[in-house]
Amino acid sequence: MDFFDRFAVPHPSFLIYASMVGIGLTMLAIVVGITYFKKWGYLWREWITTVDHKRIGIMYLLTALLMLFRGGVDGIMMRYQLSMPENTFLDSQHYNEVFTTHGVVMILFMAMPFIIFFFNYLVPLQIGARDVAFPRLNALSFWLFFMGMGLFNLSFIIGGSPDAGWTSYFPLAGNEFSTSVGTNYYMIAIQIAGIGTLMTGINFITTILKMRAPGMTLMKMPMFTWSAFIANVIIVFAFPVLTVLLAMGTMDRLFGTNFFTTDNGGMDMLWANLFWVWGHPEVYILILPAFGLYSEIIPTFARRNLYGYKSMVASMVIISVLSFLVWAHHFFTMGQGPFANSIFSITTMAIAIPTGVKIFNWLFTLWKGKIEFTTPMLYSVLFIPLFTLGGVTGVMLAMSAADYQYHNTMFLVAHFHNVIIPGVVYAMLAGLTFYWPKIFGFMLNERLGKWTAWILSVGFVLAFIPMYITGLDGQARRMYTYSESTGFSLLNMVSFVGAAVMAIAFVLLVYNIYYSIRYSPRNIGSDPWDARSLEWATHTPVPEYNFAITPQVASTQAFWDSKKNGHELYKGDIEKIHMPNNSGLPFIMSCIFFVFGFALVFSIWPVVIVSLIGILACLAYRSFEKDHGRYISVEEIKETETRLRGAKK
Amino acid sequence: MKLKMKWILLTMVITISTVLTACEPLLVLDPKGPQAKTQADDIMLSIWLMLGIVIVVLAILVFVLLKYRASKQPKDYEPPHIEGSPIVEAICIGIPIIIVIFLSIVSVKSNYEVEATPVGYEDQEPLVIYASSSNWKWHFSYPEEDIETVNYLYIPEDRAIEFKLYSYGPITSFWIPQLGGQKYAMSDMITTLHLAADQPGEFMGRNANFSGAGFAENTFEVTAMSPAEYEEWVEEVHETASPLTEEKFEELLEPGHLGRSTYTGTHLEFAPPPEHDHGSANTDGEEDSDLEGHEEHDAHNAEEHSNH
Ligand code: HEM
Ligand SMILES: [Cu+2]
Ligand SMILES: [Cu+2]
């Protein structure tokens, strides 16, 4: 009985039961649907076993969108709970689970896959490559990430969600104070997903260094590729810290070690330090690619080259270095003394300088341009003032003495949403709208797109600006309720209304996708925005091999030069192309990882051992496997090219 | 049309926030002691400076968007290719550098200030109060007065207070916004927070760091009063309160919420606060400067104050 008790949700409520039924029915509907339409074979051949970077990218995108809604619902629930004093919609336990899952889901299972979607889809196209350096590893990265995501989301149906915050500070997250398996899920699910991300980092560094088209020197790479390169370098330096940290945390929880406990020599501050040694660079892993996307979109619609290319690159390099030197600004109040605080205060403020350079470069890119307000551009120009606001409040937080007053308050919550929503979420929506025609062959509706951007922005301002004020009025973050006498209620109600307005914007986004699938014209050619870099130089839809002939590059905006300055991109004849074969192994191995993770969460040791053997067997099998890929013949390529050129008209 | 919307929005937000700030001052910006005053001054200074930056960026943005939008330009206008200009970029780096240097100086200076006995109170011996948290309560021990209270705090005005913070459980953060910023209370070390109230009054105090299910109600009340009243209160406690026994204290530590209570004697005698050794009992405990340099604990450790 005791054994089965652990699988039960410790604090079930109507909401949880309802979601269980909902999830169950959706799953059933999907399975029945796929079976009814006989799509299992198609799914297996074309998607599950694929090693094509474009398809893997699309799978990341779908996961990210799904998680955006999951995390968004959590956000709304929190805002609703706080909209009135002494609200009883959620009790404290549920609120704690909700903000913990919201934080984890949004950062790790929404924002991360979203940027990895862009890495996957765009980087090979932007550098004129056929695929990533290690296509199979790429599939494994995705499936590990996916299984980590799945495991994490399983927590609230089986065994209970983690409830110690996304930062999961010990000793609160230790067995003594978090008794359910929730935090086990946190440790293990993030670990599995994190290994996938670390491999992605290695893969893309190699891809960018080794597989650029002839003529594309480092200083001729498109800005998004630069940002992806730097973000992946940060991944490779930061994620091992997370791996070790989670391993130590897991051992504390499962094997009774005392790395972070309150006695036997545990150091709770060590968790905080290591967490943020990873955590702070993590936010730059998210924001730099977003900057990259803006640097693609703004020049396109200002109809001008990006101003200050070199300083854009330099600022990203400087930011990447500084991002590792600021972690202690997350705990100025831990009693490390004014000297240490001063150092971290100064390094943190220093990041504002290269960031400011980027803002000014975007502004100067608009200068003397011929600006068109398309949807992606609208997001980009809304981003500039909103992100500046978030950035300057970051500088305010960096003043260590003042941070003693902001720390752990709604002011901080307002600040990081103020950078992460206009910074990352807007960039993703802008990038999605921008690249949608390249990926799917039709445009999203512009009118609906602009409405979405405006509604989202109104909602955003209403939802988050009030938090700055309540923070200064003493509202701590993570409080599930407050009393009437605090006087927080009016602003929190405004905030809830704002969150609801944002929800409308996201629904409109979905409607736009639905509407455009049905009504958008399909004859848009391969360059509907009159864009500038190499990814637009191939057909839409992009053929499996990306480019029939490897392009020759002479500037940062190769495609633009080929359109306006008569630069010849494709020299030479079509030759047969070598491509990797699909493989089911990454998926199978990741499934075993899922079982392994699940068994670890509940300490079911026999299953742990068996699945571990299974993982090793997969690795062994792979190392003896002989698979040299296959060739696409010249005739086949020519046929595809003619067909695609026809499709263009 | 679209730009108008942005302006309407902006004015809306600004009016809402000014109206709200006008009718009742925000706690953090309504300081009642020197440390909170330093912090509030820094906050206001940075708000004005940062507002300036936001306005400049917004102004440039609106200007270029209006001037260079496609609909305003001749059909055949071809935007020029501009690589960048060293002079312009030097200005764009130079001004932020100056701002950051200025703010760094302010920040460092203030940080040393709030980490020391409040300015103007250096000549007197600070009142030492041990504040320890347990799920989800606050225990205040006054070794000098030989008193302990739960969930409320009486302090004399115009007297420097030195809080010694630690925790019987998760990390918590001791925060009285109107007297000064917060600091963590942890189970394996003592941190020190210097505060003072320069006028009598009632202030909100709370744990600001999430510590589990009872976190939201993990609050306490602070009353600052004249030294005479404070003395009176101490007298009264000694006459009326019962002594804090070890069993009673163990009982108080049980997780849950409690109202206020008062005792004579403190728990420091039978449950001494954690020494700062980061738990590395069998190695050289004080050599932990690799990740964090908690210099200050070495200077003021528990021993030093036990003879006040
Ligand atoms: C869609 C609108 C969103 C709403 C309404 C929203 C709302 C909230 C609220 C109310 C909290 C504070 C919880 C508390 O301290 O009590 C919170 C925390 C948080 N949010 Fe959001 N959020 C949104 C979007 C996002 C996005 C896009 C991200 C990241 C990509 C994000 C990341 C976080 C993180 C990391 C936390 C901290 C969680 C913790 O304290 O452990 N949020 N959010
Ligand atoms: Cu940080
Ligand atoms: Cu310490």
Side-chain angles (χ1 to χ4, degrees), chain A residues 280 326 329-330:
Chain A
H280 192 84
V326 300
H329 65 207
H330 294 275

Side-chain angles (χ1 to χ4, degrees), chain A residues 8-175:
Chain A
V9 175
H11 303 274
S13 71
F14 174 72
L15 272 174
I16 292 185
Y17 287 132
S19 342
M20 280 183 189
V21 174
I23 292 173
L25 288 179
T26 322
M27 292 299 219
L28 198 68
I30 293 173
V31 171
V32 169
I34 296 173
T35 314
Y36 182 78
F37 291 106
K38 300 203 175 58
K39 290 288 185 201
W40 285 112
Y42 165 79
L43 214 60
W44 175 261
R45 279 189 309 276
E46 301 290 326
W47 293 94
I48 293 176
T49 60
T50 189
V51 292
D52 181 343
H53 69 96
K54 298 180 284 295
R55 295 202 164 184
I56 292 174
I58 290 170
M59 292 193 288
Y60 272 113
L61 172 65
L62 291 176
T63 318
L65 285 174
L66 192 69
M67 287 295 112
L68 177 66
F69 282 90
R70 205 245 135 130
V73 169
D74 286 341
I76 298 269
M77 291 205 298
M78 284 189 281
R79 285 313 345 162
Y80 178 68
Q81 167 63 22
L82 292 179
S83 66
M84 292 166 259
E86 267 136 55
N87 197 354
T88 51
F89 171 62
L90 298 173
D91 63 19
S92 113
Q93 178 61 28
H94 283 142
Y95 191 83
N96 301 345
E97 292 175 10
V98 168
F99 73 65
T100 304
T101 38
H102 167 78
V104 174
V105 161
M106 282 298 199
I107 301 280
L108 288 158
F109 300 124
M110 187 283 283
M112 281 303 272
F114 226 126
I115 62 150
I116 297 177
F117 148 65
F118 285 113
F119 292 166
N120 263 289
Y121 205 92
L122 288 184
V123 167
L125 293 177
Q126 280 205 327
I127 63 176
R130 296 249 145 81
D131 206 331
V132 295
F134 312 111
R136 270 245 197 146
L137 190 70
N138 200 21
L140 183 61
S141 294
F142 170 74
W143 287 112
L144 282 179
F145 159 77
F146 186 85
M147 294 301 164
M149 184 277 297
L151 191 60
F152 189 81
N153 278 287
L154 200 61
S155 67
F156 93 118
I157 310 179
I158 304 176
S161 297
D163 57 1
W166 90 283
T167 49
S168 208
Y169 273 16
F170 278 79
L172 181 62
N175 285 330

